[in-house]
Every structure is written in structure tokens, then in C-alpha cells.
Amino acid sequence: MMSMTCHNLDFGARVLDLVAVGSSSNSATERYSVKNYGKTTSNVSSKGYGARRMINGRQNIIRSSVFSTKTPEPLIDGVGQRTAPVLDLKKELRSPISLANVFEAVADDLQTLNQNLKSIVGADNPVLMSAAEQIFSAGGKRMRPALVFLVSRATAELAGLKDLTTKHRRLAEIIEMIHTASLIHDDVLDESDMRRGKETVHQLYGTRVAVLAGDFMFAQSSWYLANLENLEVIKLISQVIKDFASGEIKQASSLFDCDVELEEYLLKSYYKTASLIAASTKGAAIFSGADRSVTDQMYEFGKNLGLSFQVVDDILDFTQSAEQLGKPAGSDLEKGNLTAPVIFALEDEPKLREIIESEFCETGSLDEAIELVKKHGGIERAQELAKEKADLAIKNLQCLPQSTFQLALENMAMFNLERID
């Protein structure tokens, strides 16, 4: 097995620091600490938070071009010797990145996953099967299993593996099941009638069936997880399910709270979104037999990418239409869930606080609050935060050799930023 060592990366003391402590397979999983983000953003990025792109002889590579899993690119250079990438989406001329292009590198893997998902839920429960099929077919991006496959293949090259193992594939299925279960429960808690433009499970089958369907999928995924027989991965993924609950409790306890701090928002976003992605990417590297330094960087990559995606989603809640979102625009704010754009705007506009604390009791007050968020820099500052997290995610990939799969992982971070470009 080829030994890999990642360079230490100093990301500054003011950004969210969720570094795992003592998370080796022979120690208990520790919790994570949050350092004060502060009112100013980190000095990791240059002015305007343009994230750095790869400039080591690859300026002319079309970033959205990836290849089939059947013919992976050979390795180009060594590890830890490359300049950090720069993500300046506005200054560089290139074709927009699509998820279809990013996922092309693992298209065969995703096709197999789609075929397996419904069967592993189990055909013994027709109502639960129908509920699962409803959300599996609701147009999800399959981003999490795609990340598992991309990291698996990128790190498998380090160990000289010619193909993915059964455990890699099962991990991707488990991750998508856990994600789907969390969506079903989220829709119940949020009383959401629509997801991705389709009726939610609880809207079609009732709250009782929806809760049971989510519980069943959590239980089924846990059973498959135990059968992987890797204690480190079992602890890693089990912690995610606990984090989901912690995130929901944290969100419910801070509704309409205009004093919520940015670091609290980031921690909640870690619990609800980034924790699963981080565990997915680290678990994939573990099953490839990668060195500890590599698996830790894959965890950091997943964490930073997950936070960037969540911030972008929260921005789109203000900038896209209901048709584009597949749900009413401004729905989080209406329910009292204050996200990054609102937190930033509250620093500049006292009237916004008055409207939110009134819980939008007056007609038109929600629309007024949305306009205040846009007018007082909430969107722009949240964009800067999303770009900063994407920049950190790209830095975490420097421990991987250049390949089709490493390039696709970079493109994933860039695709996310293009959603708000």
C-alpha cells in the first residue's frame, strides 16, 4: 500500500473548526468544538472571497470534463506538491459545470445504486415500500452516494485497488437510505407538503406512515451498517444519526430568535447537513485503506463542502422562485428558522428584528423581511461564506493525486458556487 501524507493546512482561528479529536478505530468518537467565527470572515481567501483554482499546468483543462469509470485517468504528479486551486467563477471563462458531467465519472456506480436502493429497503412492507419509492423517485441528485463513489475511487488508487469493494458500494447505499429517512422526518417536523416539486410522504400517506417509514429506513440502514463489520465506520455513521436529532432540537429551540449567532447556525448546519457528508467521504477513504492523514482530510472535505452547500441552499431560499425551489420561497424564514442571510442582515437593520419577532403577524410582513435581507447585504455576505467553505474543501483535496475522480470532486465544489453565481 502506498503511504500518503497530507500537509498541515492552517485555515485560521476564526472559521468553524470541527476537527475530529481521537477518532481512531480504537478510541471513542469525540465531539467537535466550534471556534468563534467572529463578525469578520477568515483571511483564508483573498478580497471578494474568490476561491483559488488549480493553476499547476491545468489552466486549459475544461473543468466539467470527466471520464467513465471504465477508463480512469493515470496519475499525473505526486502528492502535496500542487498549488491550491483558485475558484474565481466570475473572472474565468469556461462552460458551466453540470452535475451530469461531474457524476459521469461514476455513472455506472450510480446506475447500480439506483437499481439496488428499492430492493434493500425490503419488499415485505408494501406501504413502506411505496413511501420509499415516492421519495427515491422525487428527483434527488444522489449527491451523497456520488461523493462516496468519487472519494472511494480517488483513494482506491492510493492502495492499488483496481475496482471498488462491496463495502464501498454498500456504504453508498446506506448513506442514501439515511439521507432519505432524514428527509421524510424533516418534512413531518416542518409540515412541508412539497419536496422537489412533488407531494411529501406524510402528505400522501399521513404522518403515522411517514414517521414509521423514516424509522424503518433508519433501522434498515443500521442493520446493513453493522454488517460492514468496521467499528470505526460504524461509530462514524452512528454519530450522524445522533447529530440529526441534535440539529433538529437546536433549530426548534431557536425559532424566531434574532440573537442567534453565526457559529450556532454553522453548528446546526453541521449537525443537519455536513455531518453525514463528512462521514460519507471519510468512510469511503477508510474502506480504500487510505492512511489516517488522508481519511482525516476527506472528513474535512466533506464537512466544508456540506457547509457550503447548506449556505447556498439558504441563499436560494431568498433568490429563487417557488417553481425553482419546489417549495414556497422564504419558507425557512416564515417558520422562524433564521439562516445565514438573515443573521448577516440583522446586524445592519433593526427593523428586520421587529418584523421577525412579531412572527409575521401583519399581511405582507414576510415579503418586507425578504426585501430587507436582500437590501442590507445578507445575500452577499452569505455568498462570501459559501465561497470560503468551498475554498477550504478544495484545499482538503490536495492530499489526493490528480485524477478524473479528484477533478470531479473539485468540480462538485465549483458547481455548488455556480448555483449562486
Side-chain angles (χ1 to χ4, degrees), residues 205-244:
Y205 300 98
T207 299
R208 180 182 177 86
V209 170
V211 171
L212 290 174
D215 288 347
F216 177 80
M217 293 185 71
F218 274 129
Q220 190 81 327
S221 63
S222 297
W223 186 85
Y224 281 111
L225 178 63
N227 280 275
L228 291 177
E229 297 182 344
N230 184 298
L231 185 59
E232 185 176 7
V233 174
I234 291 172
K235 288 181 177 180
L236 194 64
I237 306 300
S238 298
Q239 182 63 52
V240 170
I241 299 176
K242 178 183 176 182
D243 287 344
F244 281 153

Side-chain angles (χ1 to χ4, degrees), residues 113-349:
L113 175 127
N114 286 331
Q115 294 169 352
N116 290 344
L117 274 176
K118 295 175 186 178
S119 63
I120 67 174
V121 170
D124 296 336
N125 301 273
V127 175
L128 298 182
M129 188 66 183
S130 297
E133 186 171 356
Q134 166 66 14
I135 197 162
F136 281 145
S137 63
K141 298 183 289 290
R142 299 286 191 266
M143 185 188 80
R144 289 154 188 82
L147 283 170
V148 171
F149 291 136
L150 288 170
V151 172
S152 296
R153 290 193 175 277
T155 54
E157 294 182 351
L158 305 180
L161 298 178
K162 294 183 179 180
D163 200 359
L164 301 188
T165 67
T166 302
K167 290 185 176 182
H168 282 126
R169 298 187 184 281
R170 184 62 80 195
L171 176 64
E173 294 162 358
I174 290 169
I175 293 301
E176 187 65 6
M177 289 177 67
I178 291 174
H179 174 58
T180 300
S182 72
L183 295 184
I184 294 174
H185 282 178
D186 279 354
D187 289 338
V188 173
L189 291 171
D190 297 340
E191 298 180 347
S192 300
D193 297 332
M194 302 290 290
R195 176 173 289 278
R196 300 166 184 158
K198 293 189 177 184
E199 289 183 294
T200 56
V201 172
H202 79 86
Q203 181 72 8
L204 286 173
Y205 300 98
T207 299
R208 180 182 177 86
V209 170
V211 171
L212 290 174
D215 288 347
F216 177 80
M217 293 185 71
F218 274 129
Q220 190 81 327
S221 63
S222 297
W223 186 85
Y224 281 111
L225 178 63
N227 280 275
L228 291 177
E229 297 182 344
N230 184 298
L231 185 59
E232 185 176 7
V233 174
I234 291 172
K235 288 181 177 180
L236 194 64
I237 306 300
S238 298
Q239 182 63 52
V240 170
I241 299 176
K242 178 183 176 182
D243 287 344
F244 281 153
S246 297
E248 289 295 342
I249 293 170
K250 202 164 190 63
Q251 179 171 300
S253 63
S254 60
L255 295 178
F256 299 101
D257 180 6
C258 293
D259 293 318
V260 64
E261 298 285 343
L262 183 63
E263 54 264 32
E264 294 178 68
Y265 159 79
L266 289 170
L267 182 58
K268 181 202 70 176
S269 298
Y270 167 76
Y271 284 150
K272 294 193 64 176
T273 302
S275 175
L276 177 61
I277 297 176
S280 304
T281 50
K282 182 174 182 177
I286 289 172
F287 283 137
S288 292
D291 286 352
R292 181 58 179 272
S293 58
V294 175
T295 63
D296 286 348
Q297 285 300 309
M298 290 304 95
Y299 186 91
E300 291 298 304
F301 166 75
K303 177 200 73 180
N304 287 313
L305 182 67
L307 290 173
S308 182
F309 260 91
Q310 184 59 59
V311 175
V312 168
D313 281 345
D314 292 338
I315 291 170
L316 295 178
D317 197 44
F318 288 91
T319 60
Q320 287 192 335
S321 65
E323 290 74 20
Q324 291 172 306
L325 291 169
K327 62 178 182 178
S331 58
D332 280 335
L333 178 57
E334 183 178 19
K335 294 169 183 174
N337 179 24
L338 308 190
T339 57
V342 181
I343 294 170
F344 285 128
L346 278 168
E347 295 177 10
D348 189 57
E349 179 48 67

Side-chain angles (χ1 to χ4, degrees), residues 53-71:
R53 287 189 63 198
M54 179 67 62
I55 60 174
N56 185 19
R58 294 203 292 158
Q59 294 94 329
N60 297 322
I61 293 179
I62 297 175
R63 307 291 298 182
S64 60
S65 176
V66 291
F67 301 90
S68 168
T69 54
K70 297 177 182 177
T71 56

